[in-house]
Amino acid sequence: MTFNPLREKGIPLEAQLRTWRELNVEPYDRNDVHPYSRTRGILLNGIEVEAVMFSHQMARNTLDSQVKRQLALLRRVEAQQQKAINWLIPGDETTIEVTLGYEQVAVDLTAWLAQHEADPYLKQVYDFALLEDFDHLYRYANLYELIEGKKADEICGDLTEITPGRPTIFEHRHPGDEIRRPMTAPAADAQSVLNALTIVAAEQQTMNFYMTIGNRYQEPIARATYAEIGLIEEQHVSHYESILDPAASWFENLVLHQWHECWMYWSAVQDETDQRVRKLYEQHLGMEIEHLRVACELMKLVERRDPEEILPVSAFSEPLKFQPNKAYVRSVLASQINLTAKDSDFVPVSTLANDDRYFRYQRRVNGDFSPTEEVIRLNKEKNGRDYRLETEGPNPVEGLRSDEERNGAETQYAQRQQAAA
Ligand SMILES: [Fe+2]
Ligand SMILES: [Fe+2]
Ligand SMILES: [Fe+2]
Ligand SMILES: [Fe+2]
């Protein structure tokens, strides 16, 4: 099944504004929301935040007041869409619970993108940061158990494993090593463009979220953990935004954004199991089809270019899906745990010279306190073990296995040695 948003009829722009009553949607029930229904909402909220912020930036770089007015109208609708989606989150879901949802998005979204990325360099870009967000999920799951006394599988289900990835303490790199090589949109595969627009919006909203809510806890360890991981999300935004085509014009970008939003809602509509939420996504899809038409008209008018020439493809054939990626994440973990970034490449840490800026940056920020290590230590102290959800066996990296498993392996090894002697 394919979908061509340029050939569909949307909702007229004038008919898109909604009342406060319509925007103040009934939140989902935290006890029976499907974990992937939660992640879809978090992702779509991030897409709408990007739509709003991109439009503001474009407006600030636009002289023509007629164009500014048209942007303002589109943007007001995007801002309403953002409310309708983000207000699905109920007030009795705690900040750490929402956070667990954000990191589950990061894991299963990035893993899907990596497996649908034809360009080997871009695939490496996804695999690399996948292991980092995967580790964040483990750190927050332990913070959750430490502070709220609950287990993260109540939120994430057993769809996503929870175990260490690239330890957050090692993720801190010099900003100069976070800049990737850009794609050129006209030459790139359509899926590569959709993938990049998706991940940039998702990581950016994660960054926004942590920078805003990280100070809502009184416990010093919670505040410190949000500050530390929040800075990694800043790195991730730098990492991912640098793969976007920097040569695209403002109007080209506007068209791409609306085209991408169509793909997002077309995908969400197909998978959403909550009928009420699915209706909301259908409504938004109708709005985005019209946004795309309006953006194309603006581009023709101002740049005198045909938008269909700049769109990598007009019809979508594959929807984005939230689904378990356990085997995939494990294979990346097993093969790439030792990587770090050097300029725009990914290299084993062991190849860096002792005086590399990576080590200098590490020493500077980690100092004598690592919140994300401390949170594990504290939770072990409280519960006698760290929190993990390893449904497919022990962590594939030996050094990341639990104390119990490592002690077990050492005992076995000692027994074998004894037997051999
Ligand atoms: Fe939108
Ligand atoms: Fe993360
Ligand atoms: Fe991230
Ligand atoms: Fe839009």
Side-chain angles (χ1 to χ4, degrees):
M1 185 181 70
T2 62
F3 177 80
N4 184 342
L6 295 168
R7 304 283 169 268
E8 300 286 327
K9 199 168 153 39
I11 301 170
L13 206 47
E14 320 79 62
Q16 293 193 7
L17 288 172
R18 284 174 275 182
T19 63
W20 311 130
R21 207 180 284 286
E22 289 171 282
L23 294 182
N24 189 20
V25 297
E26 183 80 29
Y28 57 70
D29 179 348
R30 55 159 287 152
N31 296 312
D32 68 27
V33 62
H34 189 282
Y36 286 149
S37 190
R38 180 190 288 106
T39 57
R40 253 189 301 281
I42 289 171
L43 175 59
L44 287 166
N45 173 58
I47 299 303
E48 293 301 347
V49 170
E50 165 63 20
V52 170
M53 299 317 291
F54 167 76
S55 173
H56 276 301
Q57 292 299 335
M58 182 170 175
R60 289 169 208 179
N61 288 274
T62 298
L63 201 66
D64 185 330
S65 60
Q66 278 309 94
V67 173
K68 267 197 217 273
R69 284 200 178 86
Q70 195 66 309
L71 286 175
L73 180 53
L74 282 175
R75 187 168 64 242
R76 190 64 58 85
V77 174
E78 310 283 14
Q80 285 207 341
Q81 290 176 317
Q82 186 271 331
K83 302 300 171 296
I85 290 176
N86 208 25
W87 265 236
L88 285 169
I89 299 179
D92 61 1
E93 207 167 83
T94 70
T95 300
I96 302 183
E97 289 171 338
V98 179
T99 300
L100 292 168
Y102 268 73
E103 293 295 350
Q104 188 172 29
V105 170
V107 172
D108 285 322
L109 171 67
T110 313
W112 188 93
L113 299 176
Q115 293 169 91
H116 291 80
E117 182 51 68
D119 181 306
Y121 177 74
L122 296 175
K123 180 178 185 300
Q124 180 62 74
V125 166
Y126 292 112
D127 285 340
F128 183 74
L130 167 63
L131 295 188
E132 305 195 333
D133 287 313
F134 188 62
D135 192 72
H136 300 168
L137 181 59
Y138 164 70
R139 308 287 154 177
Y140 282 127
N142 278 274
L143 181 69
Y144 184 45
E145 191 175 42
L146 176 69
I147 290 186
E148 300 188 20
K150 293 192 204 160
K151 297 193 165 55
D153 65 339
E154 283 183 36
I155 300 298
C156 304
D158 61 357
L159 302 165
T160 311
E161 289 194 276
I162 303 180
T163 182
R166 178 174 301 116
T168 302
I169 186 174
F170 299 130
E171 296 173 7
H172 306 292
R173 291 174 297 270
H174 190 280
D177 293 318
E178 289 310 294
I179 306 306
R180 311 293 163 241
R181 286 190 282 277
M183 67 173 96
T184 53
D189 185 65
Q191 190 61 50
S192 298
V193 179
L194 291 169
N195 289 349
L197 289 167
T198 308
I199 196 73
V200 170
E203 293 287 335
Q204 174 178 262
Q205 179 49 26
T206 309
M207 174 188 78
N208 293 342
F209 184 61
Y210 297 165
M211 72 164 82
T212 307
I213 53 78
N215 64 1
R216 296 294 76 216
Y217 281 89
Q218 296 188 29
E219 295 84 351
I221 186 62
R223 299 173 71 89
T225 299
Y226 275 102
E228 184 184 352
I229 297 181
L231 258 303
I232 295 297
E233 305 305 348
E234 152 59 32
Q235 275 188 202
H236 284 175
V237 178
S238 303
H239 163 88
Y240 284 125
E241 73 188 2
S242 52
I243 64 176
L244 293 171
D245 180 6
S249 73
W250 284 106
F251 287 92
E252 213 171 318
N253 257 315
L254 179 66
V255 169
L256 284 174
H257 272 75
Q258 301 304 339
W259 171 75
H260 172 249
E261 284 190 277
C262 289
W263 180 64
M264 293 302 303
Y265 283 112
W266 173 68
S267 301
V269 161
Q270 296 182 49
D271 280 0
E272 184 52 55
T273 44
D274 182 326
Q275 291 308 311
R276 184 179 62 98
V277 176
R278 201 167 67 112
K279 281 218 170 61
L280 182 68
Y281 294 163
E282 275 166 0
Q283 184 186 15
H284 285 197
L285 176 59
M287 294 176 173
E288 299 303 346
I289 290 166
E290 174 74 351
H291 294 182
L292 177 61
R293 192 191 64 75
V294 173
C296 287
E297 289 306 314
L298 275 177
M299 186 181 187
K300 281 185 214 161
L301 191 75
V302 179
E303 292 196 339
R304 307 199 178 283
R305 283 203 291 165
D306 180 6
E308 295 208 34
E309 277 172 20
I310 65 117
L311 284 177
V313 71
S314 40
F316 305 126
S317 52
E318 180 146 22
L320 171 73
K321 278 198 179 309
F322 276 107
Q323 60 194 22
N325 296 283
K326 295 177 182 180
Y328 184 76
V329 175
R330 280 177 171 265
S331 71
V332 179
L333 191 52
S335 55
Q336 303 201 14
I337 190 69
N338 60 336
L339 294 187
T340 191
K342 177 78 187 152
D343 296 329
S344 298
D345 291 306
F346 303 97
V347 300
V349 188
S350 57
T351 61
L352 299 181
N354 287 338
D355 63 344
D356 192 277
R357 63 185 174 195
Y358 170 72
F359 299 114
R360 272 182 281 137
Y361 187 82
Q362 277 272 303
R363 276 195 296 274
R364 185 73 190 94
V365 296
N366 287 329
D368 62 355
F369 172 49
S370 164
T372 51
E373 290 294 310
E374 180 67 2
V375 75
I376 302 300
R377 195 190 67 74
L378 289 170
N379 199 36
K380 279 182 183 169
E381 201 173 82
K382 183 182 170 199
N383 291 301
R385 44 123 194 92
D386 56 350
Y387 175 83
R388 289 165 184 243
L389 183 67
E390 296 169 337
T391 62
E392 314 297 296
N395 193 300
V397 179
E398 220 173 292
L400 299 178
R401 294 195 181 147
S402 68
D403 296 343
E404 227 180 357
E405 283 155 357
R406 274 189 292 180
N407 292 340
E410 271 164 37
T411 316
Q412 275 180 9
Y413 177 76
Q415 283 166 349
R416 271 205 304 272
Q417 294 292 94
Q418 263 178 357

